[in-house]
Amino acid sequence: MKKYAFIFAFLIPVSLFAQLQPANPDNVRNAERHNNYILPIAKMSIKGSHPVGINSTKTVHIIFPSQIKEVDAGIPEIITEITPSFNNVLKVKAITDEGFKESNLTVLTSGGDLYSFIVNYQETPEILNINVEKNYESDKIVSRSFNASTFHKSDFLIPNVNLSEKEIRDRFAYILSSKKSIQNIGVRNHNVSAFLDNIYMDNSLIYMAVTIHNYSGVTYPVDFVKVYVRDVEGAKRQVIQEEELTTVLLDNIDILDHGTSKSFVIAMPRITISSDKQLDFEVYEVKGGRHLRFPINSKIVSKAKSFKK
């Protein structure tokens, strides 16, 4: 038994060493001359880059699966612009036709993904339109052959939530497609109403789905939505306590035309409340007085649903 244990102990480092082959051996060798404690960057931890050729007379369009949040070009000769009409399309071209040294372009999106491109001057760009989402399967195959990563799973999470915006929006879609389970919790004011449809909860967040109906003859522009934890009305307290819940993510609701309705979801940090507390859901109109407010008691909150795995 001791013999086999001894052999197994030597097998583990060999296996790990095979997986942890440095992706940057030259950097490692140079650094080791000055520092004995070096942690090599393993191939499994790197993300590959897509090559892109550009010039000054043609625009390359790169389409991303979610909203572009940040763009960084390595040199000023690379011009980038997020298309105003579609915030997930990036336009790229060169500022000059004199050519430039190879550089890079990095894009971060709201879906929690990082995209990397190696950019070179190309007299006649081979590709003008790129849909990076359609390249996922190819990325996986090539990355696997190099024992590298695609970073397809989000490494950029919303702080203290452990979920990316894309993952939260996927839950929004799930909730909005679910059957309404809560009845008669809401308010109607000046021919505009807001009623609670569903409450969901996971390990980090509480999600509330609400539908606004505009029965009036004029538009209803939404200014903001807020949720408060307050003492139950009528509770015998000398000081009424109030706490506004932080909005982690909110659907875009903007303006409701007359005679229309809109369902949306708001996500906030997970919370449970005692019987002497309630949640107050508030919707405010832009420069108007048709504000909507309704209470949600602790019994309703305690019936929040979980997401099916």
Side-chain angles (χ1 to χ4, degrees), residues 216-235:
S216 71
V218 296
T219 59
Y220 184 84
V222 177
D223 191 1
F224 58 84
V225 176
K226 291 187 177 182
V227 180
Y228 293 88
V229 180
R230 291 191 174 113
D231 294 331
V232 172
E233 293 180 1

Side-chain angles (χ1 to χ4, degrees), residues 3-30:
K3 179 180 178 182
Y4 292 113
F6 180 78
I7 294 174
F8 184 67
F10 278 94
L11 286 175
I12 293 177
V14 172
S15 174
L16 287 174
F17 182 79
Q19 295 180 47
L20 298 174
Q21 288 285 339
N24 53 343
D26 290 341
N27 291 142
V28 172
R29 280 192 291 269
N30 290 334

Side-chain angles (χ1 to χ4, degrees), residues 212 220-225 250 253-256 283-286:
I212 300 178
Y220 184 84
V222 177
D223 191 1
F224 58 84
V225 176
L250 173 67
I253 41 182
D254 290 338
I255 299 175
L256 277 81
V283 182
Y284 279 75
E285 180 185 17
V286 176

Side-chain angles (χ1 to χ4, degrees), residues 249-262:
L249 198 63
L250 173 67
D251 268 338
N252 184 12
I253 41 182
D254 290 338
I255 299 175
L256 277 81
D257 292 328
H258 61 88
T260 64
S261 63
K262 170 72 175 180

Side-chain angles (χ1 to χ4, degrees), residues 75-90:
I75 54 176
E77 284 81 1
I78 301 172
I79 305 173
T80 63
E81 180 187 359
I82 300 172
T83 306
S85 302
F86 301 95
N87 55 25
N88 66 322
V89 179
L90 184 68

Side-chain angles (χ1 to χ4, degrees), residues 197-221:
D197 297 326
N198 284 300
I199 298 180
Y200 278 77
M201 200 177 292
D202 59 24
N203 293 333
S204 303
L205 300 174
I206 182 170
Y207 306 78
M208 294 186 179
V210 172
T211 298
I212 300 178
H213 290 269
N214 182 10
Y215 302 103
S216 71
V218 296
T219 59
Y220 184 84

